[in-house]
Amino acid sequence: AHADPAADALARYVAWRGGAPFAKAQGLAVAGTMDNGRFKGTVERRMEPGRTAEHIAVGSADMRRALSADGGWTITLSGQVEDAGEPAAQEAARRRLTAFDDAFDGAHGPVTLAPDETFEGKSVQVLRVAFAGGAAYELLLDPASGALLADRTTEEGVPTLTRYDDWRMVEGVRMAFRQVQQTQGEPLILTTALTFVDID
């Protein structure tokens, strides 16, 4: 029997992230600072199966919201509570799936190994899951070690690339404490430096 290239790449990635502790992890709480080149601020986010809560304060913007499987609420800049909307809830649900390896279990969309790409001068494997509705999530992996260099999330046809650095072990799981994110077509680059990470 021939090996499944996508399953092989996924196995290397899971092993690199910590193996069993990474595969079993379901909840994540993080806090840190954010800097988009114009404003600085803070972020707090908690994700567990079926729900997400977050507080982001950057410049004069202070956003609080909670999202479940099909809805949620958000507090506006004027302090009013509004319906977060189903699209935001669905995006948060996909983010929960991609926090660990749940997105790649085959239940949320086809998992494939796309053609190799060159990322920052280095050849990388591209492990991809295609969600319903056109959204997609791709891991850019070192082909030898399975190390995660970056990921690419596509929502409504617009890709966002996140580079990862400052990896540290937290409860047996390798977590990136520095993330640099840029959405295609937007000039601002968002850098997040985590100061707190807790699993489950």
Side-chain angles (χ1 to χ4, degrees):
H2 294 286
D4 179 354
D8 186 52
L10 178 60
R12 280 196 302 275
Y13 166 66
V14 170
W16 183 80
R17 288 295 299 270
F22 175 69
K24 293 177 181 178
Q26 293 187 316
L28 179 64
V30 301
T33 61
M34 307 177 78
D35 185 345
N36 65 11
R38 294 182 182 176
F39 303 103
K40 297 181 180 181
T42 59
V43 57
E44 297 177 53
R45 182 177 292 118
R46 181 186 179 108
M47 294 186 288
E48 28 183 81
R51 59 186 184 175
T52 301
E54 59 185 10
H55 176 205
I56 298 174
V58 178
S60 61
D62 191 304
M63 182 182 72
R64 299 173 187 267
R65 64 179 186 171
L67 300 156
S68 60
D70 55 1
W73 53 263
T74 182
I75 298 180
T76 66
L77 294 178
S78 61
Q80 294 178 317
V81 179
E82 293 185 351
D83 185 352
E86 187 176 351
Q90 292 176 344
E91 183 179 344
R94 289 190 288 270
R95 183 185 292 185
R96 289 192 295 271
L97 291 172
T98 59
F100 299 106
D101 66 336
D102 302 293
F104 296 96
D105 63 5
H108 308 284
V111 178
T112 58
L113 193 62
D116 288 359
E117 296 183 11
T118 299
F119 176 72
E120 297 184 342
K122 184 175 182 179
S123 179
V124 295
Q125 287 185 311
V126 181
L127 186 63
R128 185 176 195 271
V129 57
F131 294 109
Y137 177 66
E138 297 168 309
L139 301 176
L140 277 57
L141 304 172
D142 179 279
S145 66
L148 176 63
L149 305 180
D151 66 27
R152 188 165 50 216
T153 302
T154 301
E155 297 281 353
E156 298 182 354
V158 180
T160 296
L161 181 72
T162 304
R163 296 169 172 83
Y164 295 101
D165 199 2
D166 190 12
W167 290 95
R168 308 180 196 178
M169 296 302 292
V170 179
E171 300 173 49
V173 178
R174 187 174 269 116
M175 300 295 297
F177 276 64
R178 185 173 187 271
Q179 307 167 12
V180 180
Q181 183 180 89
Q182 185 170 24
T183 299
Q184 187 179 69
E186 295 186 5
L188 296 180
I189 297 175
L190 177 63
T191 300
T192 302
L194 298 182
T195 55
F196 170 82
V197 176
D198 182 50
I199 295 173
D200 291 342

